[in-house]
Amino acid sequence: MKPIVQVEKLRLAFPGSKNMLFKDFSVSFNKGEKVLILGPSGCGKSTFLQLLSGIIPGSIDIPCRAEALEIPQEWGYVFQDPDAQFCMPYVDEEMAFVLENLQTPREKMAERMEELLSAVGIRLPALHTKIQSLSGGMKQRLAIASVLALKPEVLFLDEPTAMLDPEGTKDIWDTLKKVGRDKTVIIVEHKIDHVLDFAGRIILLDGNGNLMADGTKGEIFARHRTELREQGIWFPGVWEEYISQIPAGSKSIPANGKEVISLSDFKGIHGKEVKIHVDDLKVQAGEWVVITGKNGAGKSTFLHALMQFIKTKGNYLLKGKRILKGVNPAKEVAFVFQNPEFQFVAGTVYEETAFSLRMKGLEEGNIAAMVENTLRVFALEKQQHLHPYQLSTGQKRRLSVAASIIADPDILLLDEPTFGQDAKNTFAILDKLEEFRKKGAAIIMVSHDEQIVEGFATRVLAIDHGRIIKNEYILESERAGMTCTV
Amino acid sequence: MYIEWSPKETWLHQINPSLKLLVIISLFTVMLLIDDLNYLFSFTIAVLLLFILFTGHPFKRILLFSIPFFVVFVSTSFTMILFGKGETTILKFGLIHITEESFYRGLLVGLRALATAALGLTFALTTKPVLLFYSLMQQMKLRPAYAYSFMAAMRMLPIMAEEFQTIRHARKVRGWEGKKGAGGFFRKISAYSIPLLSQSIRRAHRIAVAMEAKRFRMAGQRTYYYQTGFSWNDVLFIGYFLVVLAAGYYFSAEWPYFKQVNF
Ligand SMILES: Nc1ncnc2c1ncn2[C@@H]1O[C@H](COP(=O)(O)OP(=O)(O)OP(=O)(O)O)[C@@H](O)[C@H]1O
Ligand SMILES: [Mg+2]
């Protein structure tokens, strides 16, 4: 059978970079195959997908060469950030944009839109609905609907659920499995739980974009466990392995831990609405609090209120000091944004990492040593001269964490710092945070990962509709797996 | 701009947007050429009638929008009136010297500003940007590449406003303290505008890539979701201004409101 997508002896290098990302890379895909591409963060998976679809070099100009390159006629590409792929303000106008490109007659458009939206499970009271009013999951489904309008033979999916909560993630994958059944689907994804029962074939890349293995799912997980582990890629069972090597008894909170955050009748206000309301909450040094909840429940808003990004009311004591209007808590608190791009203030990875230290007025010699060390821990040394926006998704996230914890803070607020990350780097981030906690820092972090809760959290807060609905200590098993509700 | 509120649809909304734009641009030119106070006065009244009665927006909002116009009108005419030159003195008091010529000249400039603003706002209040671009593509053969770039850019404006806020937060979080005073102010502006611009450019590029991934081609045939054409409303709109211009001319000659002055 003639392959539907094929590339032979591919070579690709970014302008100005010495190393080649792909060197004589060959692979081919048959019609109807469901393929998962696995590899460590930054190895070139997204780049590869863009190349297979012709986005590189068609829309993004990057020098590349291949002896043979077969790109599908009809393809669709789902990007990871829902917001970055719409060009019109309303649902119907956005769908119309695609249909117009395909020269669909005007009379047929409304019908076709209904058809496509129902295929992805979107039911709206009216087609003319603002895209901005949709949830992240809905937006991503809309993106899939417009991709389906293209009647693609091949679907390219680059971490389509990177911005979604577990429920939204499951939804999107269910949708994709349904609409992708009779198509060729090529997927890049770190969190493989939902993908494994869909993809039949796995392609394994190493850190430099070399092909390590290519085979059926069963083969790869049976024969290539060592490679998977070495490259730090997620595979079933890796969490268990990692958690089992954490020394027992490490989850204890120091008994004399000082109270670092104390809230009572605390409200975060956005516009004129109270978006988060905390009756009473105290956090002490050495705690690792994980906040869970659905998309839109108010988790990020809670962190934003603590950072005073939004208006707040009520009592807020930070290390015993009252935080009043106009006080910037950032002197005591490090913050990692949910969207790492929001955080970047400098023009290169190196400068970005050094920024907080410069602000503190440290000596240049010390700064260099600290920055180099941090970049090594987060596997960003090779990228230090790039612009933060040029990094891969996982690298961006790592940089945002690295840059905010470098100044050695003792209170850390993090908004999903391990999303879109490979296993190795997730563990590196967690190890680093645990090190801080052991030194007496307090960590408050939004996360959907069950495993982080199990392995690291000393307390879980569940937020729903702007209220804390669960506040539970999770202490180690030696203390009889005791969870006590407060 | 239009975007947030949804007014009642009036006949002004149903005029072909390209035609409306053309008519209004020609009216702007005509207005510059009129230097007869009586004539301009009739014209301004006619424009204000459209603005107040037919935009489909509630009166309160119309009133609110009128405040800046009024300020513009009063301030432009008064500077001309109080400090203009002329021979027939009406009042003289220190620096202030009102002459008949300066009085009429001031009124003329003020009315021109008022009519321009009212006309422009009437257009903005009754034209959906998206429809304007669709019409420009269909009737004026604007290339889709430009039309869609503009529409995508418009979608980015509110995003950019949000972004500004985000950059502010990012700097705050990282311990960047703006200095007080004028120097601090300019430093702040440059510190914000450079990343804001560079991020917008990158974002725009990303949207462009997504658009091309959806088979948007710079050239080539396309169909249109919104069909824009011509209707009797267009005739009414043009007719209205033709009548106003003719009648205004007639009135200014036969029954002037103001004494005719040459200046
Ligand atoms: N314009 C550029 N110049 C130089 N290097 C670049 C440029 N853009 C990307 N890179 C580098 O190319 C590599 C591959 O990036 P890519 O986005 O394909 O990685 P990825 O495998 O998708 O990673 P992730 O899993 O983190 O998303 C990264 O190391 C990145 O830093
Ligand atoms: Mg990627």
Side-chain angles (χ1 to χ4, degrees):
Chain A
M1 192 161 65
K2 196 173 165 295
I4 187 165
V5 188
Q6 183 186 21
V7 37
E8 230 165 86
K9 299 231 163 131
L10 166 72
R11 284 167 172 244
L12 181 148
F14 286 102
S17 108
K18 278 166 271 149
N19 304 334
M20 218 169 272
L21 189 55
F22 292 104
K23 209 171 170 189
D24 294 334
F25 184 81
S26 305
V27 68
S28 69
F29 303 87
N30 290 325
K31 201 169 158 70
E33 267 190 313
K34 320 278 184 265
V35 188
L36 173 63
I37 301 178
L38 285 180
S41 167
C43 75
K45 303 179 296 294
S46 303
T47 312
F48 185 55
L49 221 51
Q50 288 170 353
L51 185 112
L52 290 182
S53 60
I55 290 181
I56 295 177
S59 307
I60 304 175
D61 194 18
I62 292 169
C64 55
R65 213 181 64 215
E67 268 177 21
L69 182 62
E70 184 83 35
I71 325 182
Q73 278 294 317
E74 301 301 335
W75 51 271
Y77 200 111
V78 181
F79 296 85
Q80 36 179 248
D81 184 356
D83 275 318
Q85 49 193 320
F86 301 125
C87 64
M88 301 291 284
Y90 288 91
V91 171
D92 59 339
E93 290 172 358
E94 178 62 33
M95 302 279 303
F97 170 71
V98 188
L99 295 174
E100 289 172 0
N101 291 341
L102 301 170
Q103 298 179 46
T104 311
R106 191 173 102 92
E107 314 79 65
K108 299 240 174 74
M109 283 188 187
E111 187 193 334
R112 186 92 178 99
M113 283 180 201
E114 299 277 2
E115 200 179 295
L116 291 165
L117 290 177
S118 80
V120 297
I122 299 185
R123 262 170 297 276
L124 293 172
L127 281 176
H128 197 62
T129 301
K130 264 195 177 298
I131 294 180
Q132 226 44 42
S133 70
L134 303 180
S135 71
M138 289 280 261
K139 279 185 196 162
Q140 204 58 317
R141 272 194 259 176
L142 172 63
I144 297 171
S146 23
V147 158
L148 287 181
L150 301 167
K151 300 208 183 107
E153 300 174 277
V154 183
L155 276 180
F156 296 102
L157 312 174
D158 188 0
E159 298 189 59
T161 57
M163 305 281 177
L164 307 181
D165 64 3
E167 210 171 296
T169 304
K170 190 174 170 306
D171 263 11
I172 290 297
W173 280 116
D174 286 346
T175 308
L176 284 170
K177 282 171 199 169
K178 201 175 79 182
V179 302
R181 202 174 300 139
D182 52 347
K183 299 183 189 338
T184 312
V185 188
I186 304 179
I187 309 164
V188 167
E189 181 64 80
H190 284 291
K191 293 292 165 100
I192 52 178
D193 316 356
H194 294 287
V195 194
L196 279 187
D197 55 345
F198 183 47
R201 173 177 162 200
I202 291 179
I203 291 176
L204 199 59
L205 302 179
D206 74 1
N208 300 318
N210 298 314
L211 185 71
M212 277 203 306
D214 181 353
T216 64
K217 181 168 56 184
E219 265 168 40
I220 299 285
F221 288 126
R223 290 202 213 126
H224 297 278
R225 273 188 114 74
T226 343
E227 284 97 327
L228 287 166
R229 194 172 299 123
E230 267 169 15
Q231 296 297 328
I233 296 166
W234 292 113
F235 58 89
V238 65
W239 259 114
E240 288 74 8
E241 275 179 29
Y242 173 62
I243 288 184
S244 70
Q245 49 92 38
I246 301 172
S250 59
K251 234 190 189 189
S252 57
I253 311 167
N256 57 350
K258 270 206 288 281
E259 209 170 271
V260 289
I261 290 179
S262 157
L263 305 172
S264 65
D265 196 24
F266 180 70
K267 291 183 189 128
I269 299 157
H270 202 82
K272 279 195 176 110
E273 271 172 82
V274 176
K275 291 283 184 188
I276 181 87
H277 189 165
V278 180
D279 293 321
D280 187 47
L281 181 74
K282 294 183 171 55
V283 178
Q284 49 168 275
E287 273 200 86
W288 184 320
V289 182
V290 171
I291 301 176
T292 62
K294 284 192 203 149
N295 272 141
K299 304 175 302 270
S300 300
T301 315
F302 177 51
L303 296 191
H304 289 183
L306 289 179
M307 289 311 290
Q308 301 285 298
F309 290 166
I310 57 174
K311 252 197 1 227
T312 59
K313 276 200 184 131
N315 294 317
Y316 175 11
L317 296 179
L318 189 68
K319 289 180 160 175
K321 260 191 306 200
R322 186 171 297 274
I323 298 294
L324 295 168
K325 210 179 146 209
V327 177
N328 184 359
K331 288 212 178 66
E332 324 277 347
V333 186
F335 183 75
V336 174
F337 284 86
Q338 179 170 23
N339 184 343
E341 289 181 359
F342 285 175
Q343 179 158 346
F344 300 144
V345 289
T348 67
V349 170
Y350 184 97
E351 285 305 315
E352 182 66 35
T353 320
F355 192 88
S356 307
L357 301 177
R358 297 245 156 87
M359 285 297 134
K360 271 184 152 185
L362 261 64
E363 255 175 63
E364 205 52 37
N366 293 342
I367 292 181
M370 281 169 85
V371 170
E372 263 155 43
N373 185 29
T374 308
L375 289 179
R376 186 152 20 83
V377 172
F378 289 97
L380 289 167
E381 298 154 289
K382 274 200 247 159
Q383 280 74 30
Q384 56 177 295
H385 300 300
L386 291 185
H387 190 283
Y389 268 61
Q390 289 177 327
L391 297 179
S392 80
T393 317
Q395 291 167 340
K396 278 181 199 153
R397 184 83 52 159
R398 253 136 60 207
L399 175 60
S400 72
V401 175
S404 36
I405 66 175
I406 192 169
D408 214 3
D410 44 20
I411 302 172
L412 280 133
L413 307 183
L414 309 105
D415 207 343
E416 310 199 31
T418 60
F419 242 52
Q421 207 59 260
D422 58 14
K424 191 203 265 167
N425 285 302
T426 301
F427 301 153
I429 292 175
L430 290 174
D431 285 343
K432 196 80 198 165
L433 292 179
E434 179 69 1
E435 194 185 307
F436 274 109
R437 190 184 74 83
K438 288 255 173 64
K439 279 198 294 192
I443 295 170
I444 301 179
M445 151 172 166
V446 174
S447 177
H448 295 302
D449 265 316
E450 291 289 321
Q451 288 90 343
I452 293 183
V453 173
E454 190 195 324
F456 295 93
T458 61
R459 178 149 46 140
V460 179
L461 292 182
I463 293 186
D464 192 31
H465 290 101
R467 285 280 188 166
I468 295 180
I469 53 165
K470 189 173 98 177
N471 181 357
E472 223 165 57
Y473 285 94
I474 311 178
L475 300 170
E476 205 100 33
S477 44
E478 11 177 306
R479 294 168 76 169
M482 193 172 63
T483 61
C484 45
T485 312
V486 182
Chain B
M1 274 249 226
Y2 190 87
I3 309 176
E4 284 309 327
W5 46 71
S6 21
K8 279 205 301 283
E9 288 250 323
T10 64
W11 65 281
L12 283 181
H13 291 255
Q14 281 149 13
I15 297 167
N16 182 296
S18 308
L19 180 113
K20 206 190 313 182
L21 184 67
L22 279 186
V23 169
I24 283 183
I25 291 175
S26 6
L27 287 174
F28 281 159
T29 351
V30 168
M31 233 182 312
L32 281 180
L33 299 178
I34 300 179
D35 47 14
D36 178 311
L37 186 60
N38 286 296
Y39 196 7
L40 190 64
F41 190 79
S42 316
F43 182 78
T44 310
I45 299 284
V47 171
L48 284 176
L49 271 180
L50 281 191
F51 171 59
I52 292 168
L53 297 178
F54 295 109
T55 55
H57 290 258
F59 264 117
K60 254 198 218 147
R61 198 177 292 151
I62 297 277
L63 231 56
L64 198 72
F65 281 136
S66 310
I67 295 171
F69 291 176
F70 190 67
V71 174
V72 168
F73 172 65
V74 170
S75 61
T76 41
S77 28
F78 267 71
T79 39
M80 285 300 271
I81 291 174
L82 297 184
F83 309 109
K85 289 196 175 61
E87 267 130 46
T88 337
T89 301
I90 302 174
L91 183 83
K92 196 172 164 119
F93 182 76
L95 268 182
I96 297 172
H97 181 197
I98 305 182
T99 63
E100 215 162 70
E101 289 87 347
S102 70
F103 180 75
Y104 286 117
R105 180 136 218 135
L107 271 187
L108 188 79
V109 173
L111 281 179
R112 213 175 258 161
L114 182 66
T116 311
L119 205 52
L121 199 63
T122 306
F123 179 78
L125 287 177
T126 60
T127 315
K128 286 189 192 181
V130 169
L131 283 184
L132 173 64
F133 284 112
Y134 265 87
S135 160
L136 286 176
M137 281 190 285
Q138 288 171 65
Q139 274 84 46
M140 312 285 288
K141 304 285 169 246
L142 177 71
R143 288 188 49 196
Y146 298 119
Y148 277 95
S149 312
F150 273 114
M151 285 195 268
M154 261 172 7
R155 205 183 154 258
M156 276 183 56
L157 284 181
I159 297 180
M160 270 176 80
E162 235 166 76
E163 202 120 297
F164 180 77
Q165 192 70 358
T166 315
I167 292 179
R168 222 170 56 97
H169 291 158
R171 305 205 150 236
K172 199 170 146 188
V173 162
R174 309 289 289 284
W176 192 82
E177 301 273 340
K179 292 217 174 60
K180 295 260 152 61
F185 179 73
F186 282 112
R187 250 183 45 138
K188 217 177 218 166
I189 296 232
S190 73
Y192 287 161
S193 54
I194 291 165
L196 191 65
L197 267 178
S198 88
Q199 297 200 9
S200 306
I201 290 169
R202 280 166 205 281
R203 207 163 285 251
H205 183 231
R206 212 175 295 173
I207 292 182
V209 169
M211 281 165 72
E212 285 183 12
K214 290 177 188 165
R215 306 298 183 282
F216 180 67
R217 294 288 168 265
M218 287 300 161
Q221 287 289 316
R222 60 191 294 117
T223 50
Y224 296 101
Y225 178 55
Y226 294 122
Q227 193 95 48
T228 54
F230 297 99
S231 67
W232 284 108
N233 291 313
D234 305 326
V235 180
L236 182 59
F237 188 60
I238 297 178
Y240 178 79
F241 279 104
L242 285 182
V243 168
V244 163
L245 288 177
Y249 189 73
Y250 179 74
F251 283 139
S252 101
E254 299 295 319
W255 299 297
Y257 323 93
F258 305 99
K259 196 172 98 188
Q260 294 286 10
V261 183
N262 290 321
F263 41 82

